[in-house]
Amino acid sequence: CVTATELTVEPILEQPLVTSTTNVVAQMVRVTIPPGNQGAPAHYHSGPAVGYVMEGEMLFQVGSIHQDGLYLLNSFKLTFSVQLNDEPPRILGAGDAFFERDGDTHVWSGNPSNTTTCTFVAVGFGRPGEPDTTFHMNWARVSFVEAVAAARRGEKEKPKP
């Protein structure tokens, strides 16, 4: 922590960033989520991201898709992937920071409170010319209510089959 006259600089998060390219663009956004709103559908960004919860609470969970197999059939290459909800859902509060690796899927980013607004700031490090956010419309996840309950109990969410 560095302190000067009426100025305090306190580290909140230090995270090495690994990207697949040296050509990176940074984008900072402020997101406000109304009380009880489940947030965006499962999605991923074009690079890693860091964030900081300014007020309220946020339901947070990241997962990933891992290539599980490769098959050759009549000269066609077939691959299949397995969806993993790697981290358990958790509740982040004001003052908490978060990190999403390049390639992570942001499974949950909703507001678990029915009375207070959630505001967070995020900085994404993406690749120029690629969309900042891409949605997974068929990502298997439990309901928002179930994810909030699991986070409050500290249990790992199990995706729907």
Side-chain angles (χ1 to χ4, degrees):
C1 183
V2 177
T3 303
T5 306
E6 298 183 24
L7 172 70
T8 300
V9 178
E10 180 181 354
I12 296 170
L13 173 71
E14 182 176 319
Q15 179 67 49
L17 299 177
V18 178
T19 64
S20 60
T21 180
T22 56
N23 191 12
V24 176
V25 62
Q27 180 184 38
M28 179 182 288
V29 296
R30 179 177 49 234
V31 178
T32 302
I33 308 171
N37 188 291
Q38 69 180 20
H43 61 276
Y44 63 93
H45 302 288
S46 63
V50 294
Y52 180 79
V53 180
M54 297 173 59
E55 67 176 330
E57 293 181 324
M58 177 173 68
L59 175 66
F60 180 83
Q61 183 182 15
V62 293
S64 58
I65 296 178
H66 296 282
Q67 182 173 309
D68 194 49
L70 172 66
Y71 298 96
L72 294 176
L73 177 65
N74 297 331
S75 300
F76 291 100
K77 183 170 84 170
L78 302 173
T79 61
F80 68 92
S81 300
V82 175
Q83 169 190 320
L84 300 174
N85 291 344
D86 296 321
E87 287 188 8
R90 54 194 166 115
I91 305 292
L92 302 179
D96 288 338
F98 61 88
F99 173 68
E100 298 172 40
R101 296 174 306 238
D102 190 358
D104 277 352
T105 292
H106 198 165
V107 179
W108 287 110
S109 57
N111 183 348
S113 171
N114 289 320
T115 58
T116 59
T117 297
C118 171
T119 302
F120 66 91
V121 171
V123 179
F125 300 90
R127 291 175 273 290
E130 292 187 17
D132 173 65
T133 304
T134 302
F135 295 102
H136 286 297
M137 299 316 288
N138 296 315
W139 190 271
R141 59 185 188 175
V142 300
S143 74
F144 180 67
V145 171
E146 291 171 306
V148 169
R152 296 224 188 268
R153 287 190 309 265
E155 296 176 1
K156 185 167 175 109
E157 173 194 350
K158 294 185 175 44
K160 293 180 179 179

